[in-house]
Amino acid sequence: MPSIVSITNMSVQEVQNYFGGTSKQESESAGTGIIISQNDSELLVVTNNHVVAGSDTLTVTFADGNSVEANIKGTDSEYDVAVVAVPLDSISEDTKKAISVATLGDSTELKVGEPAIAIGNALGYGQSVTTGVISALNRSVSETDQTTGETTESSVKLIQTDAAINPGNSGGALLNMNGEVIGINSAKLASTEVEGMGYAIAISDVTDTLENLMNEAAINA
């Protein structure tokens, strides 16, 4: 749990009013992130791309309740992952002692039926924990674009679990019994019409992508 953070996305959107004009409206959404690395100047957090999309301001809240502003390091919409950077000099010494970098597991070793734990910022209320089992592996899920109506299959194979994954859990960790991250939860792929079918992006499928995103600033420098 010290490796899990809550992410608040503040964005400004243009909305049409009754008189045909437009006005700017601020909206807030909540998600989750996993601390996966630290370099000399930044703490690096992985989350879903849809958690940070369109953000004007990102705020990361750590397990001890302290919040700091963060920046997007890199995103990959195809795999729905993003890396967020938190400057180390904005994190207090007390918070640094209260948090830790997560240990990544090997999702290729998973077996159907083994236990799983999901941690995330469910409904924006703060950290919560749910448990279940690995229900299926290598699932492919169809997504429908609400604007165009076009249906596409997910680019990455997914872990299916019956651990509850709710709005706000997106970007959080799916763990094995050793406390290792085996998946990145995605509430976007869940349905309100069914129960016991949550999905997570298999961590081993996106390890290389995350490595590239973490180094993106260095590549562009």
Side-chain angles (χ1 to χ4, degrees):
M1 293 182 76
S3 305
I4 306 299
V5 303
S6 301
I7 298 176
T8 303
N9 177 343
M10 297 292 294
S11 61
V12 177
Q13 299 172 336
E14 285 198 350
V15 294
Q16 193 162 9
N17 58 35
Y18 291 111
F19 306 104
T22 59
S23 59
K24 291 186 177 180
Q25 181 176 307
E26 197 173 64
S27 65
E28 178 181 313
S29 59
T32 307
I34 311 162
I35 302 171
I36 57 166
S37 185
Q38 178 181 320
N39 59 31
D40 292 339
S41 61
E42 299 168 322
L43 199 65
L44 299 173
V45 175
V46 62
T47 185
N48 288 139
N49 177 62
H50 74 263
V51 168
V52 301
S55 68
D56 288 292
T57 306
L58 280 181
T59 304
V60 165
T61 302
F62 297 105
D64 65 350
N66 285 324
S67 301
V68 297
E69 283 198 16
N71 304 304
I72 297 174
K73 184 92 166 176
T75 64
D76 188 312
S77 58
E78 182 181 1
Y79 289 99
D80 194 23
V81 292
V83 172
V84 172
V86 183
L88 287 179
D89 57 14
S90 68
I91 306 172
S92 70
E93 290 303 317
D94 286 343
T95 296
K96 287 177 183 176
K97 292 174 185 174
I99 61 179
S100 62
V101 175
T103 302
L104 302 186
D106 184 356
S107 58
T108 66
E109 295 294 319
L110 290 175
K111 301 286 190 295
V112 172
E114 71 176 270
I117 300 171
I119 305 179
N121 178 25
L123 303 180
Y125 293 150
Q127 282 196 22
S128 63
V129 180
T130 55
T131 62
V133 298
I134 302 297
S135 304
L137 299 169
N138 298 318
R139 286 292 200 219
S140 184
V141 176
S142 297
E143 299 177 67
T144 302
D145 189 305
Q146 298 302 318
T147 305
T148 64
E150 184 180 350
T151 299
T152 57
E153 294 243 328
S154 55
S155 299
V156 63
K157 296 302 181 182
L158 302 164
I159 302 165
Q160 182 186 324
T161 176
D162 67 346
I165 297 175
N166 296 296
N169 273 135
S170 283
L174 188 69
L175 308 169
N176 61 19
M177 289 297 101
N178 296 322
E180 298 167 335
V181 179
I182 52 172
I184 303 167
N185 297 326
S186 181
K188 180 183 177 184
L189 299 172
S191 170
T192 56
E193 298 158 5
V194 296
E195 291 185 13
M197 291 182 69
Y199 294 96
I201 299 163
I203 196 67
S204 298
D205 287 354
V206 292
T207 302
D208 290 344
T209 300
L210 296 179
E211 194 70 37
N212 291 337
L213 295 180
M214 285 190 289
N215 295 323
E216 197 154 285
I219 292 171
N220 293 337

